[in-house]
Amino acid sequence: MPKLQVLDHPLIQHKLSLIRDEETGSKEFRELVEEVSMLMAYEVTRDFPLQEIEVKTPVAIAKSKVIAGRKVGLVPILRAGLGMVDGMLRLIPAAKVGHVGLYRDPETLMPVEYYCKLPPDIAERDLIVIDPMLATGGSAAAAITFLKERGAKNIKLMCLIAAPEGIQAVQNAHADVDIFVAAVDERLNDHGYIVPGLGDAGDRLFGTK
Ligand code: URA
């Protein structure tokens, strides 16, 4: 069974409240999304294995630990996922960043990929798909499918806010993908927005409302 982890650290929850507030303008919104993404990256990487090394300090040789050769790929879903990249790169600076863009076909209502540029070695990387809002789950599930079709094996999904419907959809489609969120909200409304949510994450990040 895939894991759902709600990251309820006080700093994450405090900053998420500010992000939700409709009075928060784009500049502050962007900064807060970056900060929360950084804090979430700390938890999402908790299972990374360590290896022991020796470090010469000014005093003696210390047996110390470093992350064991893990190669990470971040995959923001365009466009709102972009807002979470910089915060994660602050903690995982060696990560490569791929991008996936999707739109919904108005006739079939199926997600269609319009852009995909990935690191060439995604099969060897721990991939973290990032999208602030897990609403219906359609885009996230489709993005994960596209990544698997290109060889990805080890994928996590990280979102700020999820609707129960979105979590269910991703878990049904991808039983192997662990999901990390800062909050699970009540539901989706008739327009596909998460309630209470934070509105349109892309518009709030980029000031396009
Ligand atoms: N995308 C958003 O930006 N907000 C929602 O509430 C749902 C999807």
Side-chain angles (χ1 to χ4, degrees):
M1 191 60 192
K3 270 188 302 182
L4 168 70
Q5 283 197 50
V6 181
L7 305 179
D8 57 0
H9 190 286
L11 285 172
I12 295 177
Q13 295 304 312
H14 179 88
K15 288 174 190 293
L16 185 62
S17 299
L18 299 173
I19 288 172
R20 288 184 188 274
D21 189 338
E22 66 174 1
E23 299 293 330
T24 300
S26 280
K27 175 179 181 289
E28 201 188 344
F29 187 92
R30 267 196 305 276
E31 290 167 356
L32 287 161
V33 168
E34 182 175 334
E35 289 169 10
V36 169
S37 304
M38 186 169 62
L39 294 168
M40 291 181 77
Y42 176 82
E43 289 295 338
V44 173
T45 53
R46 185 174 279 284
D47 65 343
F48 281 12
L50 293 169
Q51 71 185 55
E52 201 167 82
I53 58 159
E54 290 193 344
V55 181
K56 191 168 175 302
T57 79
V59 179
I61 303 286
K63 287 200 186 307
S64 201
K65 289 176 181 159
V66 291
I67 290 172
R70 209 69 169 202
K71 291 165 86 180
V72 178
L74 307 178
V75 185
I77 300 178
L78 299 177
R79 94 188 133 132
L82 294 175
M84 300 172 76
V85 173
D86 286 351
M88 298 196 70
L89 283 175
R90 299 262 297 273
L91 286 195
I92 322 170
K96 300 277 189 271
V97 183
H99 296 85
V100 173
L102 305 162
Y103 70 91
R104 188 182 288 265
D105 183 297
E107 275 166 27
T108 66
L109 300 184
M110 296 301 288
V112 179
E113 182 188 298
Y114 68 84
Y115 186 79
C116 184
K117 183 82 181 174
L118 300 169
D121 54 356
I122 58 162
E124 292 133 48
R125 288 187 180 269
D126 286 344
L127 297 183
I128 307 173
V129 174
I130 47 184
D131 197 359
M133 308 301 276
L134 183 60
T136 62
S139 300
I144 293 167
T145 300
F146 294 139
L147 294 174
K148 287 182 176 174
E149 284 168 359
R150 290 170 169 86
K153 296 186 183 76
N154 191 351
I155 304 174
K156 293 172 179 167
L157 173 65
M158 184 178 128
C159 307
L160 297 186
I161 301 178
E165 297 91 326
I167 294 167
Q168 195 63 57
V170 173
Q171 288 182 332
N172 289 346
H174 299 289
D176 57 324
V177 171
D178 290 338
I179 304 172
F180 298 80
V181 299
V184 179
D185 275 10
E186 284 164 30
R187 61 186 170 86
L188 293 178
N189 68 15
D190 294 342
H191 305 286
Y193 280 91
I194 297 177
V195 180
L198 51 72
D200 187 301
D203 281 347
R204 294 197 63 191
L205 275 167
F206 300 114
T208 46
K209 195 167 61 151

